[in-house]
Amino acid sequence: MIDLLPKLERHGNSGCSCSHTPSEEPQSWGKQGWPNKHTLRILQDFSNEPSSNVSSHSLERIPATGDKTQALKRLEHPGQQLRGDRKRQFMQDAAVTKNLPVKGSRLSALYEHPLYRRALPTLTDEDTLFNVNTDIRFDPKHLTVISPVSLFSSSRTGEGTMEEFSPTGELTADSYPNWLRFHIGINRYELYSRHNPVIDALLKDLITQRITSVAMKSGGTQLKLIMTFQNYGQALFKPMKQTREQETPPDFFYFSDFERHNAEIAAFHLDKILDFRRVPPVAGRLVNMTKEIRDVTRDKKLWRTFFISPANNVCFYGECSYYCSTEHALCGKPDQIEGSLAAFLPDLALAKRKTWRNPWRRSYHKRKKAEWEVDPDYCEEVKQTPPYDSGTRLLDIMDMTIFDFLMGNMDRHHYETFEKFGNETFIIHLDNGRGFGKHSHDEMSILVPLTQCCRVRKSTHLRLQLLAKEEYKLSMLMAESLVRDRLSPILIQPHLDAMDRRLRHVSVSCSFAALCLAKSHLSDLSNVNILLHYLTVISMTANLQFLKCV
């Protein structure tokens, strides 16, 4: 039925454009009075969780030479067979080189577009996470920075020798390890800047730095490992549990699904293409389970779970709430395993973060429904509750909603912000492992915040319109970006195609949000009739309640 929309457009001048109405800054949205106590309890900040001090994922070491050559070969030979035992063929490489808008790279052309070159406001000391003293002295023995603000956590005591990482004398910020330079660059508006060369260097570190220590991460439902590197950087490792072709079974609840390492990698690239830059850097790595996990860990609980399978493969299962048993062991081939490595955010002792309960959090119950699922006017209560009653927080929720819908991620129960910046800052998009589980199904309930609130950031909508054009097609941009990862291919073609399909749903939803806001200006009867046609089609197709707008 979505295909009917272009035909309806040709019957009138109504259009379905958001360009003349969506708001960049929310105004006074709240009604008089406050929501009930039940709603306030749901929307209150969830409290700080020390266990959440991770970025996202992890990477493994692979030879550093020949990266660009191999990537170019994959682009030139889209039909080539994948390495080793995975002799399946993917079409994403062919899509990368088809119909490029300029000679070279689609991504380069995208990032040169005016929408991706807007400057940030001038940064003050209050807008940067750390105020760096240029006269900092670095003490490699104790791993501390002698300055008013210590940028190294006292807990980052490495297990390597001085020869492994031994800076001398006075160091400028440019001489710091890449993980620290990444931390220093965090500000009120972004985790990293659009063209920051440190990010590419950090991604390379994640896959090349020697692993010196491994420990299980406390909390969480599934096994995750904290890896410390030779340069004292840290990352969160999520091992491969499923192949790329395996879809989430239809009878699985979202809260009992596996977390996917490739989803964490793809989420970082999608977040960057959407120009949010709210996901910490993530890369894929092939890890030797014997030399790089078992032999370097001091976690006895983890070490005791290693065993040799009947197929003579090295396996381990660790300890966690779900899927940590011999029946769900993680096995190598014979001792190599894929995983995602997500760079850590700054230590909580240095940069506190606040954890917030997502207003559209699901019930995480097999039978009960959340309040937003039964109350179509739920957003009106949210708009009256701080911090959603002012500032840009509600628009950030809409950005996160679009991001999750494109991935098919239903597991967004909480989100975090840096405490220093108060309520005027972005949402950090952490923990994306339950995305990209189903390419054959679009979960329209993820879009409920957008459809209930009828709000979208103008810049976000303009970028979505750009990514819907053939020369900047989202699936092709993702394929080109993901081919640079060492574990490429990250997504199979059906998942790339699903993002294009979901982007059309989002674009229609954003356009109807604009029509809802502009309904009072529609005086011509023909325009009203065409609007009703649109609303009827979209309501039937996506189960969205836009008819109330008229």
Side-chain angles (χ1 to χ4, degrees):
M1 293 186 180
I2 290 295
D3 293 337
L4 296 175
L5 292 177
K7 299 178 183 179
L8 291 172
E9 281 184 338
R10 289 194 289 270
H11 287 81
N13 300 321
S14 66
C16 195
S17 172
C18 226
S19 58
H20 57 287
T21 51
S23 55
E24 187 71 28
E25 298 289 340
Q27 304 300 322
S28 178
W29 295 334
K31 297 178 180 179
Q32 296 296 325
W34 287 90
N36 57 43
K37 293 182 180 180
H38 176 65
T39 300
L40 286 174
R41 182 181 63 81
I42 292 177
L43 299 181
Q44 66 187 353
D45 60 281
F46 189 67
S47 79
N48 293 315
E49 296 180 356
S51 63
S52 65
N53 186 33
V54 293
S55 166
S56 325
H57 326 339
S58 147
L59 295 179
E60 182 47 24
R61 164 169 38 221
I62 293 178
T65 59
D67 293 358
K68 295 182 179 178
T69 302
Q70 293 176 7
L72 289 175
K73 286 182 179 179
R74 286 194 292 268
L75 292 176
E76 294 170 0
H77 305 286
Q80 71 177 16
Q81 295 293 328
L82 298 179
R83 62 184 179 279
D85 55 332
R86 290 188 296 151
K87 299 204 172 179
R88 58 188 184 274
Q89 197 171 21
F90 293 85
M91 300 304 296
Q92 66 177 25
D93 295 346
V96 173
T97 55
K98 182 181 178 183
N99 299 325
L100 290 178
V102 295
K103 184 178 180 180
S105 164
R106 285 179 183 268
L107 279 175
S108 298
L110 179 75
Y111 295 143
E112 290 299 319
H113 192 279
L115 286 174
Y116 287 78
R117 299 188 67 84
R118 293 180 176 179
L120 293 178
T122 303
L123 297 178
T124 65
D125 288 345
E126 294 301 316
D127 296 326
T128 55
L129 193 60
F130 296 115
N131 302 327
V132 181
N133 186 339
T134 57
D135 296 326
I136 288 175
R137 278 183 171 274
F138 184 79
D139 182 353
K141 183 176 180 180
H142 298 98
L143 285 178
T144 56
V145 174
I146 311 303
S147 69
V149 178
S150 176
L151 298 182
F152 283 81
S153 167
S154 59
S155 64
R156 290 187 186 275
T157 54
E159 299 176 11
T161 63
M162 286 284 293
E163 288 73 21
E164 293 171 342
F165 184 66
S166 181
T168 58
E170 291 189 9
L171 298 179
T172 63
D174 291 339
S175 302
Y176 290 154
N178 292 312
W179 62 265
L180 180 55
R181 295 172 65 192
F182 160 57
H183 291 177
I184 293 173
I186 298 173
N187 60 61
R188 181 184 299 275
Y189 308 104
E190 58 190 4
L191 278 178
Y192 57 90
S193 59
R194 290 187 182 94
H195 308 289
N196 188 352
V198 171
I199 301 305
D200 287 337
L202 178 57
L203 292 174
K204 184 177 180 180
D205 284 349
L206 291 173
I207 60 177
T208 59
Q209 279 284 319
R210 185 168 67 85
I211 299 170
T212 61
S213 176
V214 176
M216 288 188 293
K217 180 185 178 296
S218 60
T221 59
Q222 300 183 36
L223 178 66
K224 295 178 281 288
L225 303 177
I226 297 174
M227 291 186 169
T228 304
F229 301 116
Q230 176 184 358
N231 67 354
Y232 304 106
Q234 291 183 307
L236 185 69
F237 181 76
K238 288 191 177 182
M240 179 175 125
K241 296 184 176 72
Q242 290 182 313
T243 64
R244 279 111 168 117
E245 297 86 358
Q246 287 180 282
E247 275 201 280
T248 302
D251 290 328
F252 266 39
F253 289 100
Y254 53 89
F255 49 81
S256 59
D257 192 13
F258 285 107
E259 294 187 17
R260 297 166 189 81
H261 72 299
N262 61 315
E264 295 282 7
I265 300 169
F268 166 69
H269 290 262
L270 176 61
D271 177 81
K272 187 176 180 181
I273 288 174
L274 293 173
D275 202 37
F276 294 154
R277 287 165 286 119
R278 300 166 192 171
V279 174
V282 184
R285 181 167 176 166
L286 193 65
V287 175
N288 186 303
M289 298 165 61
T290 303
K291 296 180 180 179
E292 296 180 303
I293 298 180
R294 189 193 66 183
D295 292 352
V296 299
T297 185
R298 293 185 178 180
D299 191 328
K300 293 183 179 180
K301 291 182 179 180
L302 173 62
W303 187 86
R304 289 170 180 166
T305 65
F306 276 83
F307 64 93
I308 303 297
S309 72
N312 289 322
N313 293 322
V314 177
C315 305
F316 74 101
Y317 52 88
E319 291 186 359
C320 61
S321 301
Y322 295 98
Y323 307 124
C324 283
S325 63
T326 53
E327 292 80 11
H328 298 97
L330 304 167
C331 296
K333 294 184 179 179
D335 60 355
Q336 303 287 315
I337 188 170
E338 288 185 18
S340 64
L341 278 168
F344 261 38
L345 293 173
D347 194 285
L348 290 175
L350 306 175
K352 293 182 179 180
R353 300 200 300 274
K354 198 167 188 176
T355 303
W356 303 81
R357 194 184 292 263
N358 183 1
W360 281 270
R361 179 183 188 271
R362 296 178 184 273
S363 66
Y364 289 83
H365 193 278
K366 295 179 179 65
R367 292 177 298 277
K368 293 181 180 178
K369 290 187 176 182
E371 185 178 349
W372 58 267
E373 294 180 278
V374 296
D375 182 6
D377 296 320
Y378 175 76
C379 186
E380 296 304 318
E381 296 182 359
V382 176
K383 292 176 185 177
Q384 300 173 47
T385 307
Y388 309 102
D389 58 344
S390 63
T392 62
R393 181 64 61 83
L394 189 61
L395 294 177
D396 287 336
I397 292 287
M398 301 303 120
D399 286 348
M400 185 171 65
T401 294
I402 293 170
F403 175 63
D404 284 336
F405 178 70
L406 292 174
M407 295 191 298
N409 178 27
M410 303 171 65
D411 189 37
R412 189 69 67 184
H413 43 82
H414 297 92
Y415 64 86
E416 295 185 20
T417 60
F418 287 106
E419 191 172 282
K420 176 180 178 179
F421 304 134
N423 293 333
E424 300 299 324
T425 187
F426 61 93
I427 290 172
I428 308 171
H429 295 165
L430 294 173
D431 197 5
N432 306 295
R434 286 202 170 111
F436 298 104
K438 295 180 181 179
H439 55 73
S440 58
H441 173 70
D442 300 334
E443 183 54 53
M444 301 305 298
S445 64
I446 301 175
L447 281 181
V448 166
L450 185 63
T451 61
Q452 286 185 344
C453 294
C454 279
R455 292 291 187 276
V456 66
R457 185 178 263 111
K458 182 177 180 180
S459 59
T460 298
H461 184 253
L462 292 176
R463 284 194 296 271
L464 293 176
Q465 288 181 318
L466 182 67
L467 295 174
K469 295 182 178 179
E470 187 64 28
E471 60 268 33
Y472 297 106
K473 198 171 183 180
L474 177 59
S475 61
M476 294 183 179
L477 290 169
M478 280 291 290
E480 180 183 346
S481 185
L482 290 172
V483 79
R484 303 175 183 183
D485 190 88
R486 196 61 64 85
L487 298 183
S488 176
I490 302 301
L491 297 176
I492 60 175
Q493 189 62 37
H495 278 299
L496 298 173
D497 295 337
M499 281 191 287
D500 289 332
R501 184 178 67 243
R502 291 163 185 165
L503 181 61
R504 291 194 291 270
H505 284 297
V506 173
S507 298
V508 171
S509 298
C510 290
S511 297
F512 274 102
L515 289 174
C516 288
L517 295 175
K519 65 183 183 295
S520 59
H521 301 290
L522 293 175
S523 56
D524 181 60
L525 182 59
S526 62
N527 285 342
V528 173
N529 288 334
I530 292 176
L531 174 60
L532 286 172
H533 274 296
Y534 274 118
L535 296 177
T536 302
V537 170
I538 196 63
S539 297
M540 292 167 55
T541 305
N543 194 26
L544 307 179
Q545 299 183 5
F546 279 112
L547 287 175
K548 66 179 182 179
C549 293
V550 293

